[in-house]
Amino acid sequence: MPCSDHIRVHTTTLGGTASNVVVANVVHGLMSMTATYSWVPKPVPDEQAFEAIRSGVDALQPGVKMVLNSSQFYGMGWTTANLELLSRFFERYPDYADRTFLMVKGGFNVAKNRVDNSPENLRHSVHACITALRGTKKMDVFQPARIDKLCTIEETMKTLVELKNEGKFNHIGLSECAAATLRRAHAVHPITIVEIEVSVTSYEEEARKVLASAAELGVAVAAYSPLCHGLLCGAVTKREDLDPHDVRNLLSRFREGNLQNNLAIAGAIRSIAANRGYTPAQLCIAWVASLGEKVLPLPGSTRKERTLENLAAGQITLVEDEKSEIARAMETYPVHGGRYYDDAEADAVLWG
């Protein structure tokens, strides 16, 4: 693609040992490309997935990397299908390895069906990820997917530092951690990026604390589900829109009663976006990006058109009137239900 066709996206640098890495300020989430739990019924064809990835990378100005977000278990039955897809992509397009920054979550023990950040399981997890990538791309960041309450964060970090020093991956990240945990981890070794859920419907007190701590420490934040699993962009307008096997049927905010109430905030976002000439998804992504210099919205995309729409949102700088209008909508139409469970208190157990 000629330089004149590059999108002049907003860029930022990451944190910790990757503070010199310049990236687009919107992450490309890859989870939906492979049949993961019940989020998607079947894998996306390779050609479609490859086009979606390449379009985002090709749109960037020279020297800017696209952050790709994957996992050891983004495949039906907790398999490495997502990383295997990436290995096929990099085998076909090896030049893209240096133009992307790969985040990989792991640390889940499939046999025990639980988070397991013991030294043995972290080593097993990292090995599984490296095996799935088949030497096509080194993991830029490895991050435990959740904080293991059976291990101290200092013990977890000790293992991660050992693995990093052995050359298994380049940088250390965290996911779904509390602010205090981030500070303790960062004291052991600089954290490059932390992944948490942030959206106009997921802006809880602990999320705000993590954002503040990360900004103070110079740590980047990958803010996943900026569209509340499709609710905020109009993908779901009633319960009947969900396939009976869709995992969102189990999420508190999509349950009968809660969904009807939450459609009010979704409608308000659509109205604001329409008045401003944005798509609802772009408005939500831009709002998340406005929360900090190193806050990177992490929407998923399986199609070229969606990838480019998401990237274009990264060019939007919301003015104060727009932020105020969104804040009023959030106050007027408070979200009903927790991120996963029935209320916010139950969800608090997710913060490690």
Side-chain angles (χ1 to χ4, degrees), residues 10 272 275-276 278 282-283 286-291 313 315-328:
H10 290 180
I272 296 170
N275 291 336
R276 303 288 180 167
Y278 312 136
Q282 288 176 328
L283 181 67
W287 179 83
V288 171
S290 75
L291 298 177
Q315 302 175 74
I316 298 169
T317 299
L318 297 179
V319 299
E320 289 306 314
D321 283 352
E322 291 170 325
K323 294 179 185 178
S324 297
E325 198 170 358
I326 294 169
R328 285 194 297 272

Side-chain angles (χ1 to χ4, degrees), residues 280-344:
Q282 288 176 328
L283 181 67
C284 292
I285 291 169
W287 179 83
V288 171
S290 75
L291 298 177
E293 179 185 356
K294 292 182 184 291
V295 179
L296 288 72
L298 197 178
S301 168
T302 63
R303 294 186 178 277
K304 171 183 177 179
E305 296 78 14
R306 184 68 67 195
T307 300
L308 296 178
E309 178 186 342
N310 294 343
L311 268 183
Q315 302 175 74
I316 298 169
T317 299
L318 297 179
V319 299
E320 289 306 314
D321 283 352
E322 291 170 325
K323 294 179 185 178
S324 297
E325 198 170 358
I326 294 169
R328 285 194 297 272
M330 293 167 67
E331 183 178 357
T332 304
Y333 306 109
V335 66
H336 287 236
R339 290 195 291 135
Y340 293 92
Y341 304 121
D342 287 333
D343 55 54

Side-chain angles (χ1 to χ4, degrees), residues 60 84 106 208 269:
L60 304 181
E84 292 166 29
R208 296 194 295 272
I269 290 297

Side-chain angles (χ1 to χ4, degrees), residues 144-147 174-178 194-197 224 339-340 350-352:
R146 293 289 187 274
I147 304 302
L174 293 177
S175 179
E176 287 286 354
C177 68
V194 58
E195 185 175 334
I196 62 171
E197 182 173 355
Y224 76 87
R339 290 195 291 135
Y340 293 92
L350 299 170
W351 297 101

